[in-house]
Amino acid sequence: MGAQIIDGKAFAGVVREKVAGHVSRLKQVHGVTPGLAVVLVGEDPASQVYVRSKGKQTVETGMNSYEHRLDASTGEGELLDLIAQLNADPAVHGILVQLPLPAHLDEDLVINAIAPEKDVDGFHISNVGLLATGQKAMVPCTPLGCLMMLRDHHGNLSGMNAVVVGRSNIVGKPMAQLLLRDSCTVTIAHSRTKEIEEVTRRADIVVAAVGRPEMVTGDWIRPGATVIDVGINRIDAPEKGQGKTRLVGDCHFESCAEVAGAITPVPGGVGPMTIACLLANTVTACCRMHGLSEPEGLTA
Ligand code: NDP
């Protein structure tokens, strides 16, 4: 293996420390405690794990955590009423509605009901537009985490060729916007891209966000390139015993690591950075709301 491992777990710890430092200053100097409200509708097991982890880390960094767990049968009106209440609550600086929502609820309608300045997931249509036009936005957490790791590794990204594989609204598109903002030459590849390996082999930076286990292999990567693997896929692992599973990314780690200059592992890469960036966004939202200077190194 030739590649340097970009340790997202360790880097997330650094981000959390920075967040905790800002929170402490906000409390001591300005008498403000940032607050994050997380809304979970239903009992999806993976969502429950995420929500628990978000709440725990919010409290650990000194912020207030408000959890709202609603029954799976909750109607749109009731959910929208709760969001209106949180929008109006001065103790709440960030609002996150855990996705996916049960099928009877309209996700776009619900997300766009969140006050844009409290939309710490960065999914509100206003934040999407602000990011696309290079203005101050709340930036989606996963791509923000990828950008932080890339900036930390490379310093300046200007002029680099970046290929983002995947064009989803939550990862691929905002990732491409952020790289463009940092003056990369950006290509977005997707399921209809022709000769995709040729496209990725031209890249200095490959960000894989496809949701297909180990799809990107070493022969897709230019020697020395940086590989950011966003994918989280659970696959069978018979070598660990019957019925056992393991987590893999969208990149085949071993073969990519042979060729790449640097690579994020799965687990321990992008995943931990996502929650760290949610905390960072909550502090940023709080500072903006109170007209205070933004925390350095925690925004796009
Ligand atoms: P989506 O399913 O919304 O999007 C996947 C994208 O990949 C689509 O744009 C699709 O193209 C493209 N794609 C699918 N198959 C291929 C293929 N064979 N060749 C090229 N492109 C392809 O996924 P998300 O963006 O939500 O998530 C992507 C991955 O990231 C998943 O593994 C998910 O679990 C993970 N993830 C991880 C997070 C973290 O915190 N680490 C957070 C969010 C997601 P098309 O548009 O043409 O269909």
Side-chain angles (χ1 to χ4, degrees):
M1 190 186 75
Q4 183 183 332
I5 304 295
I6 300 177
D7 186 343
K9 200 172 166 199
F11 197 54
V14 173
V15 172
R16 277 196 303 274
E17 262 175 44
K18 275 191 196 169
V19 167
H22 284 293
V23 171
S24 162
R25 265 191 299 283
L26 280 168
K27 284 177 170 176
Q28 281 170 21
V29 181
H30 303 285
V32 179
T33 304
L36 172 64
V38 176
V39 180
L40 173 64
V41 187
E43 279 96 39
D44 178 67
S47 295
Q48 286 186 334
V49 172
Y50 288 136
V51 167
R52 210 172 306 129
S53 184
K54 285 167 185 171
K56 186 168 167 274
Q57 293 191 33
T58 303
V59 172
E60 279 168 1
T61 45
M63 298 192 271
N64 290 328
S65 166
Y66 308 100
E67 269 181 38
H68 296 267
R69 290 168 183 268
L70 305 180
D71 198 79
S73 62
T74 301
E76 215 153 67
E78 195 186 329
L79 181 55
L80 293 175
D81 282 349
L82 172 61
I83 290 172
Q85 212 178 297
L86 297 172
N87 284 342
D89 186 342
V92 172
H93 303 93
I95 303 171
L96 179 146
V97 176
Q98 185 65 44
L99 301 178
L101 287 172
H104 67 282
L105 298 169
D106 179 340
E107 274 185 8
D108 287 339
L109 185 81
V110 170
I111 295 304
N112 289 323
I114 298 171
E117 65 277 14
K118 295 190 179 187
D119 166 41
V120 281
D121 248 346
F123 296 159
H124 189 290
I125 194 73
S126 296
N127 282 314
V128 175
L130 289 167
L131 178 62
T133 50
Q135 300 180 67
K136 199 179 266 188
M138 291 310 302
V139 174
C141 304
T142 299
L144 178 59
C146 297
L147 182 77
M148 282 186 189
M149 288 192 285
L150 283 167
R151 281 179 177 170
D152 183 65
H153 185 72
H154 286 286
N156 191 348
L157 305 181
S158 177
M160 295 181 88
N161 285 323
V163 173
V164 179
V165 191
R167 55 174 164 178
S168 72
N169 290 334
I170 63 166
V171 188
K173 283 182 196 147
M175 186 74 249
Q177 294 289 358
L178 287 172
L179 291 166
L180 192 58
R181 231 155 88 150
D182 270 28
S183 299
C184 290
T185 302
V186 183
T187 304
I188 305 180
H190 46 77
S191 66
R192 309 293 170 89
T193 300
K194 288 183 186 146
E195 289 162 4
I196 194 162
E197 303 92 319
E198 292 292 326
V199 176
T200 54
R201 266 202 294 270
R202 287 198 292 270
D204 304 309
I205 295 168
V206 176
V207 181
V210 280
R212 306 228 176 249
E214 303 181 318
M215 186 184 84
V216 176
T217 47
D219 55 333
W220 292 38
I221 304 300
R222 193 181 60 74
T226 299
V227 177
I228 304 290
D229 189 350
V230 180
I232 302 178
N233 311 285
R234 192 163 281 286
I235 61 166
D236 292 337
E239 73 281 2
K240 287 168 74 179
Q242 211 192 359
K244 296 283 184 195
T245 59
R246 64 187 174 100
L247 283 185
V248 296
D250 291 341
C251 299
H252 183 265
F253 183 81
E254 287 75 17
S255 64
C256 288
E258 285 288 327
V259 192
I263 186 166
T264 59
V266 178
V270 175
M273 283 299 288
T274 296
I275 298 187
C277 287
L278 172 68
L279 307 174
N281 275 350
T282 305
V283 174
T284 301
C286 179
C287 291
R288 286 179 186 169
M289 255 174 258
H290 287 274
L292 302 169
S293 55
E294 289 186 19
E296 227 171 274
L298 295 181
T299 51

